[in-house]
Amino acid sequence: MSALLSVQNLEVNYGAIRALRGVTLNVQPGETVAVIGANGAGKSTLMRTLSGLLRPTAGSAVFGDMDLSKAAPHVIAKGGLLHIPEGRGTLGRLTVAENLRIAFDRDPAATAGESFEDACERVFARFPRLKERLKQAAGSMSGGEQQQLAMARPLLAKPKLLMLDEPSLGLSPVMVSTVFSVLRELRDAGMTILIVEQNARAALKLSHRAYVLKQGRMVHEGESASLLADNSVLSHYLGA
Ligand code: ATP
């Protein structure tokens, strides 16, 4: 099977800082893949590069038949790659209802056949709070509520590839388990997911395969179950 996402020897710099130093990874259709690494390893840089917000200085990143190193962010999003950044990525000045509408409209091909109202009812069954807050500006909601709005996006848009940057960051334990239960549901429904997390244990439990990123380099790759079973790799690379 050919990979949905194929990244080869990717190099990304911020001026003199070499944030990614030859990163290679691939994600097959239907796979959930985790990238774990400590603070500053380059996880967010990787995500921002794959969604077209940063340009690599070398290497390649291909999603289906799209060259992510050249395509504009809105073209990448329209092509079915949904990036939920650290800090949720909701549109703070717009209402919850407007955010939901934009999420639904993003990829008409994926949502064909289902009305906006029906799609929202699926989301409200999972996150009833959003239904109560439809007219509220997204930016005035609590962090946990904003993460619920962020998690509504893949439920509505059914992306080809869902990329999440630290979805557990800053959330209460209850909200973390809600987010991961939605992700398990999406994984089990066959969605292709790439998740970066400092919370290695949660990401490994969710994913089929994982990569360990350290100081801009991929230092390990393996089945998530075996990484979970053998703590020595994680403690070696992450001190976890
Ligand atoms: P964290 O888990 O703390 O968010 P991360 O793994 O996502 O970390 P990145 O944010 O990708 O790491 O940062 C990788 C490296 O690039 C770090 O050394 C960071 O200081 C540096 N870096 C990130 N953004 C910039 C920037 N805009 N300008 C300069 N250096 C940057």
Side-chain angles (χ1 to χ4, degrees), residues 68-133:
L68 299 178
S69 70
K70 298 206 168 69
H74 70 278
V75 174
I76 294 173
K78 275 274 179 229
L81 192 158
L82 172 56
H83 176 198
I84 301 187
E86 217 178 289
R88 328 296 179 218
T90 54
L91 301 165
R93 289 191 176 179
L94 299 188
T95 64
V96 169
E98 287 163 339
N99 269 275
L100 293 173
R101 182 83 232 181
I102 288 167
F104 181 78
D105 286 344
R106 200 159 286 263
D107 185 357
T111 51
E114 189 181 33
S115 70
F116 176 58
E117 290 70 25
D118 287 350
C120 283
E121 285 310 321
R122 275 193 297 113
V123 169
F124 299 149
R126 169 62 73 172
F127 300 121
R129 180 65 59 90
L130 295 181
K131 192 171 188 172
E132 297 163 15
R133 301 299 173 96

Coordinates of all heavy atoms in Angstrom, one line a residue, residues 68-133:
L68 N 3.6 19.1 -0.3 CA 3.3 20.0 0.9 C 4.4 21.1 1.0 O 4.1 22.0 1.7 CB 3.2 19.2 2.2 CG 2.1 18.1 2.2 CD1 2.1 17.4 3.5 CD2 0.7 18.7 2.0
S69 N 5.5 20.9 0.4 CA 6.6 21.9 0.5 C 6.3 23.1 -0.4 O 7.0 24.1 -0.2 CB 7.9 21.3 0.2 OG 8.0 21.0 -1.2
K70 N 5.3 22.9 -1.3 CA 5.1 24.1 -2.2 C 3.6 24.6 -2.1 O 3.4 25.7 -2.4 CB 5.3 23.6 -3.6 CG 6.8 23.2 -3.9 CD 7.1 23.4 -5.3 CE 8.6 23.3 -5.5 NZ 9.1 21.9 -5.3
A71 N 2.7 23.7 -1.7 CA 1.3 24.1 -1.7 C 0.9 25.1 -0.6 O 1.5 25.1 0.4 CB 0.4 22.9 -1.6
A72 N 0.0 26.0 -0.9 CA -0.4 27.0 0.1 C -1.3 26.3 1.2 O -2.0 25.3 0.9 CB -1.3 28.1 -0.6
P73 N -1.3 26.9 2.4 CA -2.0 26.3 3.5 C -3.5 26.0 3.2 O -4.0 24.9 3.5 CB -1.9 27.3 4.6 CG -0.6 28.0 4.3 CD -0.5 28.0 2.8
H74 N -4.2 27.0 2.5 CA -5.6 26.8 2.2 C -5.8 25.6 1.2 O -6.8 24.9 1.3 CB -6.3 28.1 1.8 CG -5.9 28.6 0.4 ND1 -4.7 29.3 0.2 CD2 -6.5 28.4 -0.8 CE1 -4.6 29.6 -1.1 NE2 -5.7 29.1 -1.7
V75 N -4.9 25.5 0.3 CA -5.0 24.4 -0.7 C -4.8 23.0 0.0 O -5.5 22.1 -0.2 CB -3.9 24.6 -1.8 CG1 -3.9 23.4 -2.8 CG2 -4.2 25.9 -2.6
I76 N -3.8 23.0 0.9 CA -3.6 21.8 1.7 C -4.8 21.4 2.5 O -5.3 20.2 2.6 CB -2.3 21.9 2.6 CG1 -1.1 22.1 1.7 CG2 -2.2 20.8 3.6 CD1 0.2 22.4 2.5
A77 N -5.4 22.4 3.2 CA -6.6 22.2 4.0 C -7.8 21.7 3.1 O -8.5 20.7 3.4 CB -7.0 23.5 4.7
K78 N -8.0 22.3 2.0 CA -9.0 21.9 1.0 C -8.8 20.5 0.5 O -9.7 19.7 0.2 CB -9.1 22.8 -0.2 CG -9.9 24.1 0.0 CD -11.4 23.8 -0.3 CE -12.3 25.0 0.0 NZ -13.4 24.7 0.8
G79 N -7.5 20.1 0.4 CA -7.2 18.8 0.0 C -7.4 17.7 1.0 O -7.2 16.5 0.8
G80 N -7.9 18.1 2.2 CA -8.3 17.1 3.2 C -7.3 16.9 4.4 O -7.4 15.9 5.1
L81 N -6.3 17.8 4.5 CA -5.4 17.6 5.6 C -5.9 18.7 6.7 O -5.8 19.9 6.5 CB -4.0 17.9 5.2 CG -2.9 17.5 6.2 CD1 -1.6 17.3 5.5 CD2 -2.7 18.6 7.3
L82 N -6.4 18.2 7.8 CA -6.9 19.0 8.9 C -5.9 19.1 10.0 O -5.5 18.0 10.6 CB -8.2 18.5 9.4 CG -8.8 19.2 10.6 CD1 -8.9 20.7 10.5 CD2 -10.1 18.6 11.0
H83 N -5.3 20.3 10.3 CA -4.3 20.5 11.3 C -5.0 21.2 12.5 O -5.5 22.3 12.4 CB -3.2 21.4 10.7 CG -2.2 21.8 11.7 ND1 -1.3 22.8 11.5 CD2 -1.8 21.3 12.9 CE1 -0.5 23.0 12.5 NE2 -0.7 22.0 13.4
I84 N -5.0 20.5 13.6 CA -5.5 21.1 14.9 C -4.3 21.5 15.7 O -3.6 20.6 16.3 CB -6.5 20.2 15.7 CG1 -7.6 19.8 14.8 CG2 -6.9 20.9 16.9 CD1 -8.7 19.0 15.5
P85 N -3.9 22.8 15.6 CA -2.7 23.2 16.3 C -2.8 23.3 17.8 O -3.9 23.2 18.4 CB -2.4 24.6 15.7 CG -3.8 25.1 15.4 CD -4.6 23.9 15.1
E86 N -1.6 23.4 18.4 CA -1.5 23.6 19.9 C -2.3 25.0 20.1 O -2.2 25.9 19.2 CB -0.1 23.9 20.2 CG 0.3 23.3 21.5 CD 1.8 23.6 21.8 OE1 2.6 22.9 21.1 OE2 2.2 24.4 22.6
G87 N -3.1 25.1 21.1 CA -3.9 26.3 21.2 C -5.2 26.2 20.4 O -5.9 27.2 20.3
R88 N -5.5 25.0 19.9 CA -6.9 24.6 19.4 C -7.2 25.1 18.0 O -7.9 24.4 17.3 CB -8.0 25.1 20.3 CG -7.8 25.1 21.8 CD -7.5 23.8 22.4 NE -7.2 23.9 23.8 CZ -6.3 23.1 24.4 NH1 -5.6 22.3 23.8 NH2 -6.2 23.3 25.7
G89 N -6.7 26.3 17.6 CA -7.0 26.8 16.2 C -8.4 27.1 15.9 O -8.8 27.1 14.7
T90 N -9.2 27.4 16.9 CA -10.6 27.9 16.6 C -10.5 29.4 16.3 O -9.6 30.1 16.6 CB -11.5 27.6 17.8 OG1 -10.9 28.2 19.0 CG2 -11.7 26.2 18.1
L91 N -11.6 29.9 15.7 CA -11.6 31.3 15.2 C -12.3 32.1 16.4 O -13.5 32.0 16.5 CB -12.3 31.4 13.9 CG -11.7 30.6 12.8 CD1 -12.5 30.4 11.6 CD2 -10.3 31.2 12.4
G92 N -11.5 32.7 17.2 CA -11.9 33.3 18.4 C -13.0 34.3 18.4 O -13.9 34.4 19.2
R93 N -13.0 35.1 17.3 CA -14.0 36.2 17.2 C -15.3 35.7 16.7 O -16.3 36.4 16.8 CB -13.5 37.3 16.3 CG -12.3 38.1 17.0 CD -12.1 39.3 16.2 NE -11.1 40.1 16.9 CZ -10.6 41.3 16.4 NH1 -11.0 41.7 15.2 NH2 -9.7 41.9 17.0
L94 N -15.3 34.6 16.0 CA -16.5 34.0 15.5 C -17.2 33.2 16.5 O -16.6 32.7 17.5 CB -16.2 33.2 14.3 CG -15.5 33.9 13.1 CD1 -15.4 32.9 11.9 CD2 -16.2 35.2 12.7
T95 N -18.5 33.1 16.3 CA -19.3 32.3 17.3 C -19.1 30.8 17.1 O -18.5 30.4 16.1 CB -20.8 32.5 17.1 OG1 -21.2 32.0 15.8 CG2 -21.2 34.0 17.2
V96 N -19.5 30.1 18.1 CA -19.4 28.6 18.0 C -20.1 28.1 16.7 O -19.6 27.3 16.0 CB -20.1 28.0 19.3 CG1 -20.2 26.5 19.1 CG2 -19.2 28.3 20.5
A97 N -21.3 28.6 16.5 CA -22.1 28.2 15.3 C -21.3 28.5 14.0 O -21.3 27.7 13.1 CB -23.5 28.9 15.2
E98 N -20.7 29.7 13.9 CA -19.9 30.0 12.7 C -18.7 29.1 12.6 O -18.3 28.7 11.5 CB -19.5 31.5 12.8 CG -20.6 32.5 12.6 CD -20.4 33.9 13.0 OE1 -19.4 34.1 13.9 OE2 -21.1 34.8 12.6
N99 N -18.0 28.8 13.7 CA -16.9 27.9 13.6 C -17.3 26.5 13.1 O -16.6 25.9 12.3 CB -16.3 27.7 15.0 CG -15.2 28.7 15.3 OD1 -14.0 28.5 14.9 ND2 -15.5 29.9 15.9
L100 N -18.5 26.1 13.6 CA -19.0 24.7 13.1 C -19.3 24.8 11.6 O -18.9 23.8 10.9 CB -20.2 24.3 13.9 CG -20.0 24.1 15.4 CD1 -21.4 23.9 16.1 CD2 -19.1 22.9 15.6
R101 N -19.9 25.9 11.2 CA -20.2 26.0 9.8 C -19.0 25.9 8.9 O -18.9 25.2 7.9 CB -21.0 27.3 9.6 CG -21.4 27.6 8.2 CD -22.8 26.9 7.9 NE -22.7 26.1 6.7 CZ -23.7 25.4 6.2 NH1 -24.9 25.4 6.9 NH2 -23.6 24.8 5.1
I102 N -17.9 26.7 9.3 CA -16.7 26.7 8.5 C -16.0 25.3 8.5 O -15.5 24.9 7.5 CB -15.7 27.8 9.1 CG1 -16.3 29.2 8.8 CG2 -14.3 27.6 8.6 CD1 -15.6 30.3 9.5
A103 N -16.1 24.6 9.7 CA -15.5 23.3 9.7 C -16.2 22.4 8.8 O -15.6 21.5 8.1 CB -15.5 22.8 11.2
F104 N -17.5 22.5 8.7 CA -18.3 21.6 7.9 C -18.1 21.9 6.4 O -18.0 21.0 5.6 CB -19.8 21.8 8.2 CG -20.7 20.9 7.4 CD1 -20.9 19.5 7.7 CD2 -21.5 21.4 6.3 CE1 -21.7 18.7 7.0 CE2 -22.3 20.6 5.6 CZ -22.4 19.2 5.9
D105 N -17.9 23.2 6.1 CA -17.8 23.6 4.7 C -16.4 23.3 4.1 O -16.2 23.4 2.9 CB -18.1 25.1 4.5 CG -19.5 25.4 4.6 OD1 -20.3 24.4 4.5 OD2 -19.9 26.6 4.9
R106 N -15.5 22.9 4.9 CA -14.1 22.8 4.5 C -13.9 21.8 3.4 O -13.2 22.1 2.4 CB -13.2 22.4 5.7 CG -11.8 22.7 5.5 CD -11.1 22.7 6.8 NE -11.5 24.0 7.5 CZ -10.7 25.0 7.5 NH1 -9.6 25.0 6.9 NH2 -11.1 26.1 8.2
D107 N -14.5 20.6 3.4 CA -14.3 19.6 2.4 C -15.6 19.0 2.0 O -16.1 18.0 2.5 CB -13.4 18.5 3.0 CG -13.0 17.5 1.9 OD1 -13.5 17.7 0.7 OD2 -12.2 16.6 2.2
P108 N -16.2 19.7 0.9 CA -17.6 19.2 0.5 C -17.6 17.8 0.1 O -18.6 17.1 0.4 CB -17.9 20.1 -0.7 CG -16.9 21.2 -0.7 CD -15.7 20.8 0.1
A109 N -16.5 17.3 -0.5 CA -16.5 15.9 -0.9 C -16.7 14.9 0.2 O -17.4 13.9 0.2 CB -15.2 15.6 -1.7
A110 N -16.0 15.2 1.3 CA -16.0 14.3 2.5 C -17.4 14.3 3.2 O -17.8 13.3 3.8 CB -14.9 14.7 3.5
T111 N -18.1 15.5 3.1 CA -19.3 15.6 3.9 C -20.6 15.4 3.0 O -21.7 15.6 3.5 CB -19.4 17.0 4.6 OG1 -19.1 18.0 3.6 CG2 -18.3 17.1 5.7
A112 N -20.4 15.0 1.7 CA -21.5 14.9 0.8 C -22.5 13.9 1.4 O -22.2 12.9 2.0 CB -21.0 14.4 -0.5
G113 N -23.8 14.3 1.3 CA -24.8 13.3 1.7 C -25.4 13.6 3.1 O -26.4 13.1 3.4
E114 N -24.6 14.4 3.9 CA -25.1 14.7 5.2 C -25.4 16.2 5.4 O -24.6 17.0 4.9 CB -24.1 14.2 6.3 CG -24.6 14.3 7.7 CD -23.5 13.9 8.7 OE1 -22.3 14.2 8.5 OE2 -23.9 13.3 9.8
S115 N -26.5 16.5 5.9 CA -26.8 18.0 6.1 C -26.0 18.5 7.3 O -25.6 17.8 8.1 CB -28.3 18.2 6.4 OG -28.6 17.7 7.7
F116 N -25.8 19.8 7.2 CA -25.1 20.5 8.3 C -25.8 20.2 9.7 O -25.1 19.9 10.7 CB -25.0 22.0 8.0 CG -24.4 22.8 9.1 CD1 -23.1 22.6 9.5 CD2 -25.1 23.9 9.7 CE1 -22.5 23.3 10.5 CE2 -24.5 24.6 10.7 CZ -23.2 24.4 11.1
E117 N -27.1 20.3 9.6 CA -27.9 20.1 10.9 C -27.6 18.7 11.4 O -27.4 18.5 12.6 CB -29.4 20.3 10.6 CG -29.8 21.8 10.4 CD -29.3 22.3 9.0 OE1 -29.1 21.5 8.1 OE2 -29.1 23.6 8.9
D118 N -27.7 17.7 10.6 CA -27.5 16.3 11.0 C -26.0 16.1 11.6 O -25.8 15.5 12.6 CB -27.7 15.3 9.9 CG -29.2 15.2 9.6 OD1 -30.0 15.7 10.3 OD2 -29.5 14.5 8.5
A119 N -25.1 16.7 10.9 CA -23.7 16.6 11.3 C -23.5 17.3 12.7 O -22.8 16.7 13.6 CB -22.8 17.3 10.3
C120 N -24.2 18.4 12.9 CA -24.1 19.1 14.2 C -24.7 18.3 15.3 O -24.2 18.2 16.4 CB -24.8 20.5 14.1 SG -23.8 21.7 13.3
E121 N -25.8 17.6 15.0 CA -26.4 16.8 16.0 C -25.5 15.6 16.5 O -25.4 15.3 17.6 CB -27.8 16.2 15.5 CG -28.9 17.2 15.5 CD -29.1 18.0 16.8 OE1 -29.0 17.4 17.9 OE2 -29.4 19.2 16.7
R122 N -24.7 15.1 15.5 CA -23.7 14.1 15.9 C -22.7 14.7 16.9 O -22.3 14.1 17.8 CB -22.9 13.6 14.7 CG -23.6 12.5 13.9 CD -22.6 11.9 12.9 NE -22.1 12.8 11.9 CZ -20.9 13.2 11.7 NH1 -20.0 12.8 12.6 NH2 -20.6 14.1 10.8
V123 N -22.3 16.0 16.6 CA -21.3 16.6 17.4 C -21.9 16.9 18.8 O -21.3 16.7 19.9 CB -20.8 17.9 16.8 CG1 -20.0 18.8 17.7 CG2 -20.0 17.6 15.5
F124 N -23.2 17.4 18.8 CA -23.8 17.8 20.1 C -24.1 16.6 21.0 O -24.1 16.7 22.2 CB -25.1 18.5 19.9 CG -25.0 19.8 19.1 CD1 -26.0 20.3 18.2 CD2 -23.8 20.6 19.2 CE1 -25.8 21.5 17.5 CE2 -23.6 21.7 18.5 CZ -24.6 22.2 17.6
A125 N -24.3 15.4 20.4 CA -24.4 14.2 21.2 C -23.2 13.9 22.0 O -23.2 13.4 23.1 CB -24.7 13.0 20.2
R126 N -22.1 14.3 21.4 CA -20.8 14.1 22.1 C -20.4 15.2 23.0 O -19.9 15.1 24.1 CB -19.7 13.9 21.0 CG -18.3 13.9 21.4 CD -18.0 12.8 22.3 NE -17.9 11.5 21.6 CZ -17.5 10.4 22.2 NH1 -17.0 10.5 23.5 NH2 -17.4 9.3 21.6
F127 N -20.7 16.5 22.5 CA -20.3 17.7 23.3 C -21.6 18.6 23.4 O -21.7 19.6 22.7 CB -19.2 18.5 22.5 CG -18.0 17.7 22.3 CD1 -17.5 17.5 21.0 CD2 -17.2 17.2 23.3 CE1 -16.3 16.9 20.7 CE2 -16.0 16.6 23.1 CZ -15.6 16.4 21.8
P128 N -22.4 18.2 24.4 CA -23.7 19.0 24.5 C -23.4 20.5 24.9 O -24.2 21.4 24.5 CB -24.4 18.3 25.7 CG -23.6 17.2 26.1 CD -22.3 17.1 25.3
R129 N -22.3 20.8 25.5 CA -22.0 22.2 25.9 C -22.0 23.1 24.6 O -22.4 24.2 24.7 CB -20.6 22.2 26.6 CG -20.1 23.6 27.0 CD -21.0 24.2 28.1 NE -21.1 23.4 29.3 CZ -20.3 23.5 30.3 NH1 -19.3 24.3 30.3 NH2 -20.4 22.7 31.3
L130 N -21.5 22.6 23.5 CA -21.4 23.4 22.3 C -22.8 23.9 21.8 O -23.0 25.0 21.3 CB -20.7 22.6 21.2 CG -19.2 22.3 21.4 CD1 -18.7 21.6 20.2 CD2 -18.4 23.5 21.7
K131 N -23.8 23.0 22.0 CA -25.2 23.4 21.6 C -25.7 24.5 22.5 O -26.4 25.4 22.0 CB -26.1 22.2 21.8 CG -27.4 22.4 21.1 CD -28.2 21.1 21.0 CE -29.5 21.3 20.2 NZ -30.1 20.0 20.0
E132 N -25.3 24.5 23.8 CA -25.7 25.6 24.7 C -25.0 26.9 24.3 O -25.5 28.0 24.8 CB -25.4 25.3 26.1 CG -26.1 24.0 26.6 CD -25.4 23.5 27.9 OE1 -24.6 24.2 28.5 OE2 -25.7 22.3 28.2
R133 N -23.9 26.9 23.7 CA -23.0 28.1 23.4 C -23.0 28.5 22.0 O -22.0 29.2 21.6 CB -21.6 27.8 23.9 CG -21.5 27.4 25.4 CD -22.0 28.5 26.3 NE -22.1 28.1 27.7 CZ -21.1 28.3 28.6 NH1 -20.1 28.9 28.2 NH2 -21.3 27.9 29.8

